[in-house]
PDB file of all heavy atoms in Angstrom:
ATOM      1  N   CYS I 355       1.172  40.236 -52.390  1.00 91.00           N
ATOM      2  CA  CYS I 355       2.607  40.167 -52.537  1.00 91.00           C
ATOM      3  C   CYS I 355       3.016  39.400 -53.856  1.00 91.00           C
ATOM      4  O   CYS I 355       3.869  39.888 -54.566  1.00 91.00           O
ATOM      5  CB  CYS I 355       3.310  39.482 -51.332  1.00 91.00           C
ATOM      6  SG  CYS I 355       3.205  40.455 -49.792  1.00 91.00           S
ATOM      7  N   VAL I 356       2.343  38.316 -54.095  1.00 93.00           N
ATOM      8  CA  VAL I 356       2.603  37.554 -55.368  1.00 93.00           C
ATOM      9  C   VAL I 356       2.220  38.383 -56.574  1.00 93.00           C
ATOM     10  O   VAL I 356       3.016  38.488 -57.544  1.00 93.00           O
ATOM     11  CB  VAL I 356       1.801  36.253 -55.347  1.00 93.00           C
ATOM     12  CG1 VAL I 356       1.878  35.598 -56.706  1.00 93.00           C
ATOM     13  CG2 VAL I 356       2.345  35.313 -54.292  1.00 93.00           C
ATOM     14  N   ALA I 357       1.133  39.108 -56.518  1.00 93.00           N
ATOM     15  CA  ALA I 357       0.707  39.942 -57.624  1.00 93.00           C
ATOM     16  C   ALA I 357       1.705  41.031 -57.937  1.00 93.00           C
ATOM     17  O   ALA I 357       2.102  41.287 -59.078  1.00 93.00           O
ATOM     18  CB  ALA I 357      -0.654  40.560 -57.349  1.00 93.00           C
ATOM     19  N   LEU I 358       2.203  41.718 -56.870  1.00 92.00           N
ATOM     20  CA  LEU I 358       3.184  42.767 -57.085  1.00 92.00           C
ATOM     21  C   LEU I 358       4.497  42.198 -57.591  1.00 92.00           C
ATOM     22  O   LEU I 358       5.163  42.842 -58.419  1.00 92.00           O
ATOM     23  CB  LEU I 358       3.388  43.528 -55.784  1.00 92.00           C
ATOM     24  CG  LEU I 358       2.238  44.441 -55.305  1.00 92.00           C
ATOM     25  CD1 LEU I 358       2.453  44.980 -53.886  1.00 92.00           C
ATOM     26  CD2 LEU I 358       2.042  45.569 -56.278  1.00 92.00           C
ATOM     27  N   ALA I 359       4.880  41.069 -57.127  1.00 93.00           N
ATOM     28  CA  ALA I 359       6.144  40.422 -57.618  1.00 93.00           C
ATOM     29  C   ALA I 359       6.016  40.029 -59.065  1.00 93.00           C
ATOM     30  O   ALA I 359       6.997  40.196 -59.811  1.00 93.00           O
ATOM     31  CB  ALA I 359       6.386  39.172 -56.744  1.00 93.00           C
ATOM     32  N   VAL I 360       4.815  39.615 -59.462  1.00 94.00           N
ATOM     33  CA  VAL I 360       4.580  39.263 -60.879  1.00 94.00           C
ATOM     34  C   VAL I 360       4.720  40.528 -61.798  1.00 94.00           C
ATOM     35  O   VAL I 360       5.343  40.510 -62.859  1.00 94.00           O
ATOM     36  CB  VAL I 360       3.202  38.568 -61.081  1.00 94.00           C
ATOM     37  CG1 VAL I 360       2.851  38.516 -62.555  1.00 94.00           C
ATOM     38  CG2 VAL I 360       3.246  37.200 -60.476  1.00 94.00           C
ATOM     39  N   VAL I 361       4.017  41.593 -61.331  1.00 93.00           N
ATOM     40  CA  VAL I 361       4.093  42.822 -62.111  1.00 93.00           C
ATOM     41  C   VAL I 361       5.524  43.390 -62.211  1.00 93.00           C
ATOM     42  O   VAL I 361       5.983  43.766 -63.260  1.00 93.00           O
ATOM     43  CB  VAL I 361       3.119  43.863 -61.513  1.00 93.00           C
ATOM     44  CG1 VAL I 361       3.311  45.268 -62.231  1.00 93.00           C
ATOM     45  CG2 VAL I 361       1.694  43.395 -61.629  1.00 93.00           C
ATOM     46  N   LEU I 362       6.219  43.342 -61.054  1.00 90.00           N
ATOM     47  CA  LEU I 362       7.557  43.873 -61.037  1.00 90.00           C
ATOM     48  C   LEU I 362       8.501  43.007 -61.891  1.00 90.00           C
ATOM     49  O   LEU I 362       9.336  43.514 -62.582  1.00 90.00           O
ATOM     50  CB  LEU I 362       8.046  43.931 -59.586  1.00 90.00           C
ATOM     51  CG  LEU I 362       9.472  44.505 -59.356  1.00 90.00           C
ATOM     52  CD1 LEU I 362       9.515  45.983 -59.772  1.00 90.00           C
ATOM     53  CD2 LEU I 362       9.808  44.387 -57.873  1.00 90.00           C
ATOM     54  N   GLY I 363       8.399  41.688 -61.734  1.00 90.00           N
ATOM     55  CA  GLY I 363       9.274  40.791 -62.509  1.00 90.00           C
ATOM     56  C   GLY I 363       8.997  40.739 -63.968  1.00 90.00           C
ATOM     57  O   GLY I 363       9.888  40.557 -64.742  1.00 90.00           O
ATOM     58  N   GLY I 364       7.724  40.992 -64.350  1.00 90.00           N
ATOM     59  CA  GLY I 364       7.374  40.951 -65.738  1.00 90.00           C
ATOM     60  C   GLY I 364       7.766  42.153 -66.505  1.00 90.00           C
ATOM     61  O   GLY I 364       7.878  42.125 -67.746  1.00 90.00           O
ATOM     62  N   ARG I 365       8.101  43.259 -65.886  1.00 87.00           N
ATOM     63  CA  ARG I 365       8.596  44.490 -66.519  1.00 87.00           C
ATOM     64  C   ARG I 365       7.724  44.905 -67.725  1.00 87.00           C
ATOM     65  O   ARG I 365       8.267  45.150 -68.819  1.00 87.00           O
ATOM     66  CB  ARG I 365      10.028  44.363 -66.877  1.00 87.00           C
ATOM     67  CG  ARG I 365      10.957  44.238 -65.709  1.00 87.00           C
ATOM     68  CD  ARG I 365      12.438  44.374 -66.111  1.00 87.00           C
ATOM     69  NE  ARG I 365      12.664  45.663 -66.747  1.00 87.00           N
ATOM     70  CZ  ARG I 365      12.817  46.818 -66.117  1.00 87.00           C
ATOM     71  NH1 ARG I 365      12.723  46.853 -64.797  1.00 87.00           N
ATOM     72  NH2 ARG I 365      13.047  47.941 -66.780  1.00 87.00           N
ATOM     73  N   GLY I 366       6.479  45.003 -67.514  1.00 88.00           N
ATOM     74  CA  GLY I 366       5.555  45.444 -68.533  1.00 88.00           C
ATOM     75  C   GLY I 366       5.090  44.477 -69.563  1.00 88.00           C
ATOM     76  O   GLY I 366       4.398  44.850 -70.500  1.00 88.00           O
TER      77      GLY I 366
END
Side-chain angles (χ1 to χ4, degrees):
C355 292
V356 170
L358 289 171
V360 167
V361 174
L362 182 63
R365 294 192 57 79

